[in-house]
Amino acid sequence: MTVNGPTYAMLYLLLLIPTYLLPWFGSNSFVVFLATFGTNGLFWVHLLALLAICWLARERGRMTGQGWLVVLPVLALCFDMIPGLNLIPLVPTVLHGLAILLGLAPARRTA
């Protein structure tokens, strides 16, 4: 899959929308997840959106020669979903912002 910079940013932002809306309904609460015996559908939607962001960053990082780019959304996923860490404000936002900005680097050219 070839993803140019603007497309990467747009897809990233589109996938990011549910990760900011769903927590208002308890999607990133592990306690709610356990209390509903894993049937909280919003938790799964939230997790799938974050995993799709990680995959997108991995593909973009591979294309631009920045294989480490996937680390930023993975850390954001951890700070968004792990109890205790999800109480620290703005860390996922900063990590996502860095992943978008650094992912806009031009793709490397291979001869």
Side-chain angles (χ1 to χ4, degrees):
M1 175 180 180
T2 58
V3 180
N4 62 19
T7 304
Y8 165 76
M10 295 278 277
L11 285 172
Y12 200 108
L13 289 172
L14 231 102
L15 289 168
L16 205 55
I17 291 171
T19 68
Y20 282 93
L21 294 179
L22 291 175
W24 289 94
F25 303 105
S27 68
N28 65 341
S29 172
F30 197 68
V31 174
V32 171
F33 176 74
L34 290 177
T36 59
F37 303 105
T39 59
N40 183 359
L42 296 178
F43 174 85
W44 294 109
V45 172
H46 192 152
L47 184 61
L48 285 174
L50 288 169
L51 290 174
I53 287 171
C54 292
W55 177 82
L56 183 67
R58 181 182 65 109
E59 292 300 313
R60 181 65 183 165
R62 209 185 295 181
M63 200 176 128
T64 60
Q66 301 172 328
W68 51 265
L69 186 63
V70 70
V71 171
L72 296 171
V74 167
L75 285 173
L77 183 147
C78 292
F79 273 94
D80 206 10
M81 300 303 274
I82 295 177
L85 289 179
N86 64 359
L87 298 175
I88 303 171
L90 297 178
V91 172
T93 303
V94 170
L95 291 169
H96 286 304
L98 284 172
I100 292 170
L101 289 175
L102 296 173
L104 289 174
R108 74 180 157 170
R109 304 217 186 267
T110 56

